[in-house]
């Protein structure tokens, strides 16, 4: 995977969760579908709109992993079974703000993902807790305040940034490249950020 950045990740209006990834030229990079009725978080990635050519899968390890396990690791594999790496949630830190590690196929830390403004999520949660009126205010908050996430490499240098774009009828995220990256780095990070967006889409 060696796409042309920036990439746009946009959720389609559908009864099922479907995410389209397009590159800077508007070309389709991937179509992402969450598997329904699964006891594990599982995502399938396709190269085409018809979803005939599967390229990758992302699956949480462990029974009932994902919703009940804040430290669940999600393995990213190619269609041939070879491992790209994994996304590891950093436990209770995710209650304050998004905090994840991207691991290579050998389990070594390659990148870290952090919410740039975790306090915005706290404010949104407090507003949303107010009955009726809080829901209306939170909806406006969602529209005007959009989270950003920064991906840093193992040396602590920023490599990518994810921004949620303001939108009324859909949720749209943009991945920006902050430094030149190798194709294998782009593959790991883009697929890891697909999982991040699926988990964090309700924020902002």
């Amino acid at each position: 995977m060696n796409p042309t950045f920036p990439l746009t990740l946009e959720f389609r209006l559908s009864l099922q969760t479907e995410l389209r990834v397009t590159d800077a030229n508007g070309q389709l990079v991937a179509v992402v579908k969450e598997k329904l009725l699964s006891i594990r978080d599982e995502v399938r990635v396709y190269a085409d709109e018809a979803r005939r050519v599967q390229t990758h899968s992302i699956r949480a390890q462990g029974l009932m992993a994902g919703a009940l396990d804040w430290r669940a690791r999600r393995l990213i594999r190619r269609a041939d079974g070879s491992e790209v790496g994994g996304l590891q949630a950093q436990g209770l830190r995710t209650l304050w703000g998004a905090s994840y590690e991207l691991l290579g196929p050998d389990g070594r830390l390659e990148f870290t993902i952090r919410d740039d403004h975790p306090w915005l999520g706290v404010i949104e949660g407090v507003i949303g807790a107010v009955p009726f009126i809080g829901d209306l205010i939170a909806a406006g908050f969602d529209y005007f305040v959009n989270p950003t996430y920064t991906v840093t490499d193992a040396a602590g240098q920023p490599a990518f940034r994810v921004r949620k774009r303001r939108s009324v009828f859909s949720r749209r995220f943009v991945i920006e490249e902050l430094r030149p990256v190798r194709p294998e780095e782009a593959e790991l990070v883009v697929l890891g950020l697909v999982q991040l967006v699926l988990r964090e889409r309700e924020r902002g």
Side-chain angles (χ1 to χ4, degrees), residues 6 20 32-33 36 43 55 63 69 78 83-84 99-101 105 107 116-117 121 153 161 169-170 177 189 203:
R20 294 181 79 256
V32 181
K33 294 279 289 186
L36 296 177
V43 173
T55 60
L63 188 66
D69 185 356
R78 301 179 186 93
E83 190 171 336
V84 177
S99 183
Y100 298 89
E101 294 176 343
D116 291 340
H117 307 290
D153 59 25
R161 181 161 290 119
F169 298 109
S170 66
E177 184 184 35
V189 171
R203 293 195 53 218

Side-chain angles (χ1 to χ4, degrees), residues 142-178:
D142 285 351
Y143 180 75
F144 288 106
V145 180
N146 296 302
T148 63
Y149 308 88
T150 298
V151 181
T152 55
D153 59 25
Q157 298 301 310
F160 297 86
R161 181 161 290 119
V162 186
R163 302 179 186 273
K164 181 180 180 293
R165 294 303 190 192
R166 191 174 298 170
S167 178
V168 176
F169 298 109
S170 66
R171 294 186 181 275
R172 184 182 297 113
F173 296 79
V174 175
I175 302 175
E176 301 169 330
E177 184 184 35
L178 302 181

Side-chain angles (χ1 to χ4, degrees), residues 177-198:
E177 184 184 35
L178 302 181
R179 65 160 174 79
V181 295
R182 302 187 306 274
E184 60 270 23
E185 288 182 314
E187 181 182 26
L188 173 62
V189 171
V190 170
L191 293 169
L193 291 177
V194 162
Q195 184 67 64
L196 168 81
V197 166
L198 288 170

